[in-house]
Each structure stands twice: as C-alpha cells, then as structure tokens.
Amino acid sequence: MDLDFTAAEEAFRTEVRAFLATQLPAALRTRVAEGRTLTKAEMVQWHAILQSRGWLASHWPREHGGPGWTAVERFIFEYECALADAPRTLPFGLIMLGPVLIRYGTPAQKAHWLPRILDGSDWWCQGYSEPGAGSDLAALRTRAVRTTDARGEHYLVNGQKTWTTLAQHADMIFCLVRTSTDARPQRGISFLLIDMKSPGVEVRPIVTLDGEHEVNEVFFTDVRVPLENLVGEENEGWTCAKYLLTHERNAGIGFCVAALQRLKTVAARVQRQGRPLDQDPLFAARMARVEIALENLKTTSLRVTATVAAGGSPGVQSSALKVLGSEIRQELSSLIRRAVGPRAQAQLADALALDGSPPEAATATAQYLNNRKLSIFGGSNEVQRGIIAKTMLGL
C-alpha cells in the first residue's frame, strides 16, 4: 500500500498551509499554542473565517455546503490545522449532527438546520451521557412521551444529561431520549433536537479539575419538543447514535504531533543537573517511546484513511485509533508537565511570569488534567477494547 500523498494531495496541503499562514489571526494562534481557553467570540471568529473560504464543514458533501473533500483531504486539513495551532472547530453541529441530518434527516430538516449550522445561527451541544449511562449509553433514562394539548401533538421530555460540553453557550441540543421500554434498551431510544431556550431546560455548570467551566449538567422538566424535531424513526435513534459516534472518534494525529513538538522544545530548554532535559537518559527514553508510538499511529491512521478513500469502512480500526490516540496525547501532556517540573502549578498562571519559567508552565497541569478525559469520552477505552476483542479476535 502506497501511503505517500499524490501530487494533487501535496498541492492541496500547500494550499492549506498558505491559507493558515495568511488567514489564521496571530492572537488566536498564540492562545492555542499557549493552551489558553478560547472564548465563544474567538471560536465564532475562526468558524467565520473557515466558512468564508468554504472549509468549515469539512465532513459535508458539496451539495449541502461542505467542500466535498475526500478522506485524505480531510486528514491533511485537520493535521495541518493542528500543527499551525489553529483553534479546533467545535464538532457538535459540524462533525456530529450535520452528517446525521444529511443521512437520516428529512428534506425539511436539512433545509432548515444545515444552513444555520454553517452561518453560526445555531450552536449545538450533545445530550448523550447521563448519570449511570455513560459508557453504557443504552441505560439512559431521560424520557420523551408523546402527548397532545391545545397547541397540538408533541413530545414532553423529562430527565437529565451530564458532562454536556459548552452547553452554557448552546442554542440547541441533540438528545438521545427513551420513547419506549417495551423492547431491548437500544430499540426504545429516539434522537430529538431540543431548543435550549425552551421552558423547563436548566443548565448547571460543572467546574473541572483544571478550574475551567467546560462541561455542564442539563435538566429537562416537561420540555415541549415539536414532533418535527425527531430525526429518523421513533425508537430507532440508536442507529443515529452509532453513526454519529463514528464521526466523533478520531486519533487526533495533528494534536499529537503538535504536542510532541512542544515537548521537544521544552525538554531542550529546561536544564536539569546542568544539562538539557532531553539529554537525561530516562526522560529521553520516554520521549523516544511516545514518538515511536506516534509514528506507528500515523501509519495506521493513513492506512485507514486510504481504506475510506477507496470506498471502504474503517470498522473496528476506528476503535483502535481512538484508544491509541488518546493514550499518546495523555502521555505527551504528562511528559510536558514533568518537563516543566514544580512550576507546573494548576492555579498559578498569573504568578508564573518568573524568570526561568517556560511559557508552558502556566497551562501544563491544566492541560494534563483536562486530557484525562480523552480515554473516557467518545466511547471509553475499556469499551473500545471490548469491541476490538469481540470483532477482531472473536472473544
């Protein structure tokens, strides 16, 4: 298998690099490079820049407003954006919901919701996990019951979602809800689109170990949802859920490579016992191990990308990439924190303008703590290993 890019793909990579060099604002690049949290306004700014070029919805076909890229072109774009310290495009509307609507939505749903995702009219969040229904998502208990009142027939939703990323900014939430208890758990779930401004929706912040307000609890109390906000068939939402998760899981190759570059910079600059840290045998060995693992991950990811480009499906390999990618990113953030040493304090960002403190000191611990989630969300690594064992090894 030839894993080299074609001449056309290399030309595309050159185009992406030129775009990032001229259109990525320096202020955004610096904030991302330093590991700072972006405001909603900053994320909106980058989305608008990408949309003006027609590159925002990288996973969408051209007829729905996307660039119509191949799997290889998407890989190149995401890789180069990460290396350039570009902000991550928020996945909820663009990468998760959009493809679901394109595949399972009605013509009216596509015509209404897809343009609003592209122009920023609607910001979405994801209503999957619940207390007691995280990795075992089929155990969810949020209920949606069809009912009729003077305004007509609709769903009434009651329940709770948790770990809802950026729900404090969202206009809409796509939710898995239980609409039947008569069959096995996966058969009684539906996929609903819910307005976050609806009466009965309450968002409560969860402040995480890194001190950030990124995730939330969302409560639904007799929330009225129009029937036309059902995506796909009632009680068949598990099909939409599985399809969405194939777009959520990825190895984050570009993020890993960018983190490795930061690690090498820090390790070459930090002095331990009179010599650069990257010359310490034990630390250098850990750096070498993670770099070798990353090179293997890149090769495997390119093989999967080539399979998809040829019309195939990534299958269980997406689970393997997710597991390995999350572990590599966690190891890289751990090594950066270790390289910074005792100055890597979680809550001392303003005090770390001390002589000799590397710039990574202000965010090293926060990023390390935040990256612990990588092995949990998008399907926990333990569950992914079970899928691998069952599918590939027949266990």
Side-chain angles (χ1 to χ4, degrees):
M1 179 178 292
D2 184 4
L3 297 180
D4 292 329
F5 294 130
T6 66
E9 289 161 353
E10 287 291 356
F12 175 71
R13 176 154 64 173
T14 299
E15 182 184 4
V16 172
R17 287 175 173 174
F19 169 79
L20 293 168
T22 58
Q23 301 302 313
L24 174 57
L28 289 184
R29 187 192 301 269
T30 298
R31 287 190 66 81
V32 173
E34 293 178 349
R36 307 287 182 179
T37 300
L38 298 182
T39 66
K40 180 179 180 179
E42 288 169 329
M43 290 183 277
V44 168
Q45 178 188 9
W46 180 237
H47 280 208
I49 292 170
L50 289 176
Q51 178 58 12
S52 68
R53 184 63 176 262
W55 287 0
L56 178 60
S58 61
H59 288 69
W60 296 15
R62 197 179 302 276
E63 60 266 29
H64 292 295
W69 286 338
T70 65
V72 176
E73 288 170 328
R74 289 197 301 271
F75 176 91
I76 291 171
F77 177 72
E78 293 168 3
Y79 185 91
E80 294 299 332
C81 281
L83 290 188
D85 292 318
R88 176 179 176 234
T89 52
L90 287 186
F92 308 111
L94 294 166
I95 299 175
M96 298 180 186
L97 178 61
V100 169
L101 289 176
I102 289 169
R103 179 156 183 173
Y104 297 104
T106 65
Q109 288 172 337
K110 295 174 189 177
H112 178 75
W113 297 113
L114 294 180
R116 294 176 64 85
I117 293 173
L118 290 177
D119 67 17
S121 297
D122 293 324
W123 267 49
W124 289 83
C125 59
Q126 178 185 23
Y128 270 31
S129 294
E130 299 182 6
S135 296
D136 183 16
L137 187 57
L140 66 88
R141 293 182 293 178
T142 295
R143 292 294 307 275
V145 178
R146 281 197 185 217
T147 187
T148 304
D149 60 15
R151 297 163 60 188
E153 191 176 14
H154 56 275
Y155 290 102
L156 272 185
V157 178
N158 287 274
Q160 176 188 357
K161 298 294 179 178
T162 194
W163 312 121
T164 311
T165 303
L166 299 181
Q168 71 270 30
H169 298 317
D171 306 293
M172 300 288 299
I173 182 171
F174 53 89
C175 256
L176 293 181
V177 296
R178 184 158 302 286
T179 46
S180 174
T181 57
D182 294 336
R184 67 188 182 92
Q186 290 88 343
R187 293 282 295 177
I189 292 172
S190 297
F191 193 102
L192 288 185
L193 311 178
I194 302 176
D195 190 333
M196 293 290 283
K197 297 182 291 295
S198 301
V201 176
E202 180 186 1
V203 178
R204 300 180 190 172
I206 299 174
V207 178
T208 50
L209 279 172
D210 59 359
E212 295 288 347
H213 173 200
E214 182 185 16
V215 292
N216 304 266
E217 296 176 290
V218 181
F219 295 86
F220 303 96
T221 304
D222 290 335
V223 176
R224 191 180 192 276
V225 180
L227 293 185
E228 58 265 29
N229 283 22
L230 170 70
V231 178
E233 299 295 326
E234 186 172 281
N235 298 326
E236 298 295 332
W238 195 249
T239 301
C240 296
K242 290 189 297 182
Y243 183 72
L244 182 149
L245 286 173
T246 65
H247 291 272
E248 181 182 11
R249 294 172 188 152
N250 64 80
I253 302 292
F255 296 113
C256 291
V257 174
L260 178 62
Q261 291 180 348
R262 285 193 289 274
L263 171 62
K264 288 183 175 180
T265 299
V266 176
R269 187 172 58 234
V270 171
Q271 295 285 318
R272 295 280 171 84
Q273 297 180 342
R275 62 181 177 180
L277 183 59
D278 60 4
Q279 295 181 18
D280 176 83
L282 294 179
F283 196 87
R286 288 189 65 173
M287 289 178 58
R289 280 195 296 269
V290 74
E291 185 168 9
I292 291 168
L294 177 53
E295 286 301 316
N296 290 334
L297 181 67
K298 286 167 61 179
T299 300
T300 303
S301 182
L302 285 169
R303 285 175 175 159
V304 172
T305 300
T307 299
V308 174
S313 171
V316 73
Q317 287 87 348
S318 64
S319 292
L321 289 173
K322 192 273 177 183
V323 171
L324 296 173
S326 62
E327 291 179 343
I328 288 171
R329 287 179 67 185
Q330 287 176 338
E331 174 68 359
L332 287 165
S333 62
S334 175
L335 288 174
I336 290 173
R337 185 177 65 99
R338 287 176 177 273
V340 172
R343 294 185 186 276
Q345 299 296 314
Q347 306 297 331
L348 293 180
D350 295 331
L352 285 170
L354 304 172
D355 290 340
S357 291
E360 293 78 11
T363 56
T365 295
Q367 287 194 330
Y368 165 78
L369 293 173
N370 189 269
N371 279 347
R372 306 320 296 166
K373 70 186 179 186
L374 296 176
S375 51
I376 301 174
F377 74 64
S380 74
N381 284 6
E382 287 76 11
V383 171
Q384 300 311 307
R385 288 189 176 94
I387 294 172
I388 294 167
K390 180 178 179 180
T391 306
M392 297 186 71
L393 303 178
L395 300 178

